[in-house]
Amino acid sequence: MKWTDTLDIALELIEAHPDVDPQYIRFTDLHAWVCALPGFEDDPEKSNEKILEAIQMTWIEEQD
């Protein structure tokens, strides 16, 4: 997975952290969790606030 695979990342995060409300997650935690996902193979330095926000919003949408 790459940073641009927001749906795949969100689905993996839902599975990895089922008790977390993504609305209240800090971007530093989100960044660490994405980098720790199995199959995530992108450069950790390539993320930014816009990418993390897109992942967060997709996570919120998919959790509903």
Side-chain angles (χ1 to χ4, degrees):
M1 283 181 289
K2 305 282 187 200
W3 285 111
T4 53
D5 299 323
T6 55
L7 180 58
D8 293 334
I9 291 171
L11 294 175
E12 289 290 326
L13 288 169
I14 289 169
E15 194 171 309
H17 305 280
D19 298 330
V20 172
D21 184 344
Q23 187 173 356
Y24 300 107
I25 191 169
R26 295 181 312 200
F27 281 170
T28 53
D29 292 336
L30 181 57
H31 183 275
W33 290 354
V34 171
C35 291
L37 288 174
F40 183 76
E41 300 175 343
D42 209 346
D43 182 353
E45 299 297 316
K46 288 187 176 181
S47 75
N48 59 41
E49 189 172 328
K50 181 179 176 183
I51 289 170
L52 293 171
E53 186 175 334
I55 293 168
Q56 180 188 34
M57 296 309 295
T58 303
W59 186 356
I60 291 168
E61 291 170 5
E62 292 299 317
Q63 203 171 36
D64 290 340

